[in-house]
Amino acid sequence: MPQQTASSRVQKRRQATLLEIRNTARQLLREHGRASVTVNAVAREMGMSGPAVYRYYPSHDALVEALIADFYQELTTTMQTARDACPPEHPGRRLTATCRAMRTWAITHPGEFSWMFASPVDAATRRDAESPRLRAGQQFEKVFLDQFADIWERNPHPATPFEDLAPSLQEQILEYASRTDSPLPPEALHQFLTSWIRLYGLLCMEVLHQLDFAYSDLEPVFEENLRELCAMHHLEYEPPRTP
């Protein structure tokens, strides 16, 4: 028992150091940008040596993967909390709450958001079922995918017939359906992906300030996008509640 207790203390100290390393790296990201997040910079901030940090994360890539997994988990929890605050019998309200929570998190965490979505998962990571980043990304993906599956189950609605899509699109959608084990029929899955492209595309442009030439306040634009998404899925749109 004493040996187990000592081992437990060592493990707790290790976990605490791993978290401190990631928190330090995140602070560097927020204050100085992606280029500032190096193993040596993290070590300096913590009063450690570079080789000491490498005992916890064997490479810069490993540290980045762990950071991005943290970001995905935080964003996923934020979205789930917003969704679950709305009753299941109001799927439109749940969807818009989820989308608004994502936007709020993204515009208040631009560095984290940019690193998550501007760093594509490479082929090696896609094959690694144990990758924390891949697992966290899949959980994030499920927040939307499960909601659209629920919306479709509650109220199947017209979508572009699958046979009318380009053959290449059909092939890719079927492959995605197989990979995600989605319960949605292919035409509904295409509609889900179309919705995600519209939502994500606008959000990226806002976070990266690509629409500053025309808009100083993108919330009304985002809400118009949500209104159109609700119409696409035959859901009732409700504007955000004022405090």
Side-chain angles (χ1 to χ4, degrees):
M1 184 66 70
Q3 185 176 2
Q4 291 179 347
T5 302
S7 175
S8 176
R9 286 200 298 268
V10 170
Q11 185 61 25
K12 286 182 179 178
R13 285 198 297 269
R14 178 175 177 78
Q15 292 302 319
T17 303
L18 286 166
L19 179 59
E20 185 180 359
I21 290 170
R22 297 199 305 275
N23 285 342
T24 302
R26 183 175 190 175
Q27 192 62 32
L28 286 169
L29 170 67
R30 293 177 67 90
E31 293 179 357
H32 306 292
R34 294 169 59 180
S36 70
V37 184
T38 66
V39 170
N40 286 335
V42 171
R44 283 196 302 271
E45 290 292 317
M46 295 179 61
M48 298 173 66
S49 67
V53 174
Y54 280 119
R55 289 201 294 269
Y56 294 90
Y57 290 102
S59 67
H60 177 263
D61 285 347
L63 174 57
V64 170
E65 290 292 299
L67 273 175
I68 293 176
D70 281 351
F71 302 160
Y72 269 121
Q73 290 166 358
E74 183 178 309
L75 175 55
T76 297
T77 299
T78 298
M79 292 160 58
Q80 289 172 330
T81 300
R83 177 199 65 196
D84 294 343
C86 305
E89 60 269 21
H90 292 283
R93 191 182 303 171
R94 285 166 69 86
L95 178 62
T96 54
T98 304
C99 295
R100 289 171 186 141
M102 181 180 177
R103 174 178 179 265
T104 298
W105 190 91
I107 62 179
T108 54
H109 300 84
E112 291 92 331
F113 181 85
S114 297
W115 212 349
M116 289 161 67
F117 294 105
S119 304
V121 177
D122 60 28
T125 302
R126 288 188 182 279
R127 291 191 295 268
D128 181 7
E130 297 304 312
S131 163
R133 175 187 179 180
L134 183 60
R135 293 201 307 270
Q138 288 170 339
Q139 289 303 308
F140 163 79
E141 182 181 27
K142 274 179 61 63
V143 176
F144 280 111
L145 194 52
D146 288 352
Q147 274 193 271
F148 280 100
D150 178 67
I151 289 167
W152 184 268
E153 182 179 340
R154 287 172 179 271
N155 181 30
H157 46 273
T160 302
F162 189 64
E163 60 271 16
D164 289 351
L165 300 178
S168 175
L169 268 182
Q170 294 181 26
E171 181 180 345
Q172 293 174 82
I173 290 168
L174 290 175
E175 194 278 331
Y176 177 71
S178 174
R179 190 172 69 248
T180 58
D181 196 25
S182 171
L184 288 169
E187 63 273 16
L189 196 55
H190 173 61
Q191 195 175 61
F192 155 71
L193 291 169
T194 300
S195 300
W196 168 246
I197 291 168
R198 294 184 60 178
L199 174 69
Y200 169 66
L202 178 57
L203 198 50
C204 278
M205 286 190 285
E206 179 173 13
V207 172
L208 298 177
H209 300 284
Q210 293 178 346
L211 293 172
D212 286 3
F213 69 91
Y215 298 104
S216 59
D217 176 15
L218 273 165
E219 182 174 359
V221 181
F222 187 79
E223 287 300 321
E224 184 61 26
N225 194 39
L226 291 187
R227 184 190 300 275
E228 292 170 357
L229 287 181
C230 285
M232 181 189 302
H233 297 280
H234 295 252
L235 299 169
E236 180 183 359
Y237 167 82
E238 298 180 26
R241 299 178 180 179
T242 56

